[in-house]
Amino acid sequence: MWCELGQGNFFDEFQMEGVAADHNEIYLELTPENLSRALKTAQNAKTVKIKLTNKHCPCLTVAVELPSLSSSSRIVTHDIPVGVIPRKLWTDFREPTVPDFDVSIYLPVLKTMKSVVERMKNISNHVVIEANLKGEMNLKIETDLVCITTHFKDLGNPLWASEDASQDRDSENMAEARIDIKKLLQFLAGQQVNPTKALCNIVHNRIVHFILLHEDVSLQYFIPALS
C-alpha cells in the first residue's frame, strides 16, 4: 500500500529539516493504530501539532489543544514511539513500480463492489478480477460445486489507457488476475470516503493495482496474483 498526502492540504505551518540538504527527508516506521488512537482525541481540537522528538527514544509527539471553558487551554500530549529508518535502507521504501498493465478501468461504486465480494468470500478464498477496454469488468469465483460471476458494464476506461493499449490489444479481450479474496475485502473495507476517482489496473496473471484519488490524498494498493 502506498499513500501520499500533500502537506499543504493538512498543515497550516510546516517546518522540515531532513538528514541532508540534498536529501530533505526523514523515514519513520510506527504502529498505525497508535497514531490513529492519538488523532481520535483531536476531532474537536482547536489546534494539533505533530513533532519528531527524542524522549528516551524517538517519538512522534502529537500535542492536541482542546476547547476549554476557562481562559487556560487544555493540551493533551501523545508520545508515539517510532523507528528512524537509516538512509542505507531508504531504497526499500520507494514507491513501488508497476509493470505495463494490460487493462485499466474505472471501478464501480466501492460499496456495491464490497457487498458482492463479502458474499463471495463465504464460498471461496479466491476471486478472479477480469476487465477489458470496453468498460466491462467481472468478478468470478469457482469451486467444485459452483461458478458465480458478477458483471459490471459501462464503467469506462481512462482515455490514456485506451489509447496506449488499443494499438496492440483487442478491446474485448479480458485481462485477468486471480487474487486472495480477503486482501481484496481488506482494501474495500478500508474505504471510508468515496474517492473522486477509483481505478483498477490489471497486469495479466501478475498483479492488480488499485488507485484511489481523493481531493487531498492519493492511495495505491497492490495485490499480487496467485498462481
Side-chain angles (χ1 to χ4, degrees), residues 198-219:
L199 293 168
C200 173
N201 299 329
I202 300 174
V203 183
H204 187 65
N205 287 335
R206 288 182 65 189
I207 198 168
V208 180
H209 172 217
F210 296 103
I211 304 174
L212 301 184
L213 300 175
H214 300 267
E215 287 180 3
D216 43 18
V217 178
S218 72
L219 190 96

Side-chain angles (χ1 to χ4, degrees), residues 49-225:
K49 292 181 182 177
I50 301 176
K51 295 187 290 185
L52 181 60
T53 58
N54 197 355
K55 301 184 177 181
H56 305 298
C57 69
C59 288
L60 210 55
T61 295
V62 180
V64 180
E65 185 184 356
L66 297 169
S68 174
L69 296 175
S70 66
S71 57
S72 59
S73 57
R74 290 189 302 148
I75 296 179
V76 178
T77 303
H78 303 267
D79 292 320
I80 304 164
V82 296
V84 179
I85 296 167
R87 191 163 154 186
K88 63 184 179 184
L89 298 179
W90 283 10
T91 52
D92 295 345
F93 297 91
R94 294 295 182 197
E95 181 176 359
T97 55
V98 183
D100 290 341
F101 51 81
D102 296 292
V103 165
S104 182
I105 191 168
Y106 291 111
L107 286 171
V109 175
L110 295 182
K111 282 184 181 176
T112 305
M113 195 172 165
K114 180 187 170 191
S115 65
V116 169
V117 176
E118 278 179 334
R119 292 184 178 92
M120 287 180 162
K121 87 169 192 314
N122 297 322
I123 303 169
S124 174
N125 293 324
H126 312 115
V127 61
V128 173
I129 296 186
E130 60 177 15
N132 63 18
L133 294 171
K134 290 192 75 177
E136 299 169 339
M137 188 179 91
N138 302 324
L139 297 175
K140 299 195 302 186
I141 56 170
E142 290 184 29
T143 69
D144 294 339
L145 299 175
V146 68
C147 175
I148 300 173
T149 304
T150 300
H151 303 274
F152 298 95
K153 294 185 176 181
D154 302 321
L155 297 175
N157 304 89
L159 208 57
W160 51 270
S162 303
E163 288 170 354
D164 286 353
S166 60
Q167 297 171 6
D168 53 7
R169 185 177 184 86
D170 185 335
S171 64
E172 293 190 6
N173 274 5
M174 290 284 184
E176 67 172 45
R178 181 170 166 266
I179 60 174
D180 185 326
I181 203 165
K182 287 180 183 173
K183 289 181 179 174
L184 177 58
L185 204 53
Q186 272 184 330
F187 159 71
L188 293 169
Q191 303 321 308
Q192 304 298 326
V193 182
N194 266 340
T196 50
K197 282 187 182 175
L199 293 168
C200 173
N201 299 329
I202 300 174
V203 183
H204 187 65
N205 287 335
R206 288 182 65 189
I207 198 168
V208 180
H209 172 217
F210 296 103
I211 304 174
L212 301 184
L213 300 175
H214 300 267
E215 287 180 3
D216 43 18
V217 178
S218 72
L219 190 96
Q220 297 182 64
Y221 197 81
F222 303 81
I223 305 180

